[in-house]
Amino acid sequence: VGHQFKHDIVGIAALNTDCDLVLLGIKDSTAPSLPIGDSSQVQIGDEVYAVGNPHGLEGTLSHGIVSGIRQVGEHKLLQMTAPISPGSSGGPVLNTRGEVIGVAVATVRDGQNLNFAVPSSYLPPLLATAGSPKPFSAETPSRKSASLVGGSGARNTEGVTAGSIEWRP
């Protein structure tokens, strides 16, 4: 039986609203970082694993393949068959070497296996801008209809459905 750990979130250390990414500051975490892989090398058909907490089911590992690499404006999204659900947002998408090649962000609920991840190529610039975490009351991110996920026609995995481009809470 595994051990469960809970760490307090201190605040927001970096934010990229265009790509629907946020870097959170975690209090007293000694966990090692996962290696960041090269998402430019990802090919359609590659095996992937999504790690998340869908519907509160902590530590869920889902297997799938990259089924498309989508261009959304000037950005890219990885389309995959690895299932994600509300609660999976922000979880790593790993290649077969255990490297992070994406971050789970969206699903099309009325479709079948239409799930999306922001490629890991957006992570190094986010990490480079990281500063001291700001409390949530000082900086609260807001969703933009012009974000990467909003522009794809998909929805983030926090409880909204596909069909239009506007965000709904």
Side-chain angles (χ1 to χ4, degrees), residues 139-164:
E139 182 176 335
T140 303
S142 62
R143 294 186 179 144
K144 304 180 343 177
S145 61
S147 71
L148 179 60
V149 174
S152 71
R155 293 288 155 257
N156 78 359
T157 59
E158 294 309 315
V160 290
T161 59
S164 67

Side-chain angles (χ1 to χ4, degrees), residues 119-135:
S120 62
S121 60
Y122 296 102
L123 296 176
L126 183 70
L127 292 167
T129 64
S132 297
K134 297 178 182 134

Side-chain angles (χ1 to χ4, degrees), residues 14-89:
L15 185 63
N16 179 336
T17 57
D18 290 336
C19 294
D20 299 303
L21 293 172
V22 63
L23 181 63
L24 299 174
I26 306 297
K27 183 178 181 181
D28 299 330
S29 176
T30 58
S33 299
L34 292 170
I36 297 176
D38 184 356
S39 59
S40 71
Q41 298 300 310
V42 172
Q43 300 289 316
I44 294 172
D46 286 356
E47 287 185 78
V48 293
Y49 300 88
V51 181
N53 303 311
H55 293 285
L57 299 170
E58 296 174 353
T60 297
L61 177 71
S62 301
H63 176 256
I65 63 165
V66 174
S67 52
I69 300 172
R70 305 293 173 200
Q71 191 72 34
V72 181
E74 61 188 53
H75 300 293
K76 289 186 179 181
L77 276 177
L78 302 177
Q79 181 183 333
M80 61 186 178
T81 62
I84 59 174
S85 300
S88 297
S89 286

